[in-house]
Amino acid sequence: METLSFEFPAGQPPRGRALVGCVGSGDLEVLIEPGLAGKLTINVQTSVNGAQLRWQHLFARMFDGTTPPAMAIDIHDFGATPGVVRLRLEQGFEEVGHD
């Protein structure tokens, strides 16, 4: 079990919160809350050791050329594939954007 932390530049925090996914069955759970203005923080707790570079590349691709809202994201991973990670994050971003 590893805990990884990432930080990216961001805009203003969103008003909403979101919880998507389920940590069981090879999936992951994503909790998104408003963060500090100018900063997007991501904490990943994963059952896959040695995957920091894979996570870093995934996040870098997602946020490249964009200014995401300032969020605090907690991810509890149980071996999800990069496609599932991206899907869950996008689901969470959509929920956070709803009033």
Side-chain angles (χ1 to χ4, degrees):
M1 182 73 78
E2 281 189 331
T3 301
L4 310 171
S5 296
F6 304 92
E7 190 173 300
F8 296 91
Q12 293 299 311
R15 290 187 289 170
R17 296 175 178 345
L19 174 63
V20 294
C22 173
V23 77
S25 304
D27 206 337
L28 77 159
E29 173 184 76
V30 176
L31 172 64
I32 302 174
E33 298 181 300
L36 299 174
K39 187 175 8 175
L40 167 66
T41 59
I42 305 172
N43 291 307
V44 179
Q45 208 170 38
T46 180
S47 62
V48 181
N49 293 329
Q52 178 153 351
L53 196 56
R54 179 175 60 102
W55 286 96
Q56 178 68 41
H57 288 166
L58 183 136
F59 297 138
R61 281 192 307 272
M62 285 191 75
F63 303 124
D64 183 41
T66 66
T67 302
M71 299 177 281
I73 301 174
D74 286 314
I75 297 174
H76 301 111
D77 172 48
F78 193 66
T81 65
V84 170
V85 173
R86 187 173 187 118
L87 174 69
R88 292 288 180 235
L89 284 168
E90 289 174 355
Q91 287 175 322
F93 296 160
E94 186 175 328
E95 282 191 33
V96 166
H98 291 185
D99 288 334

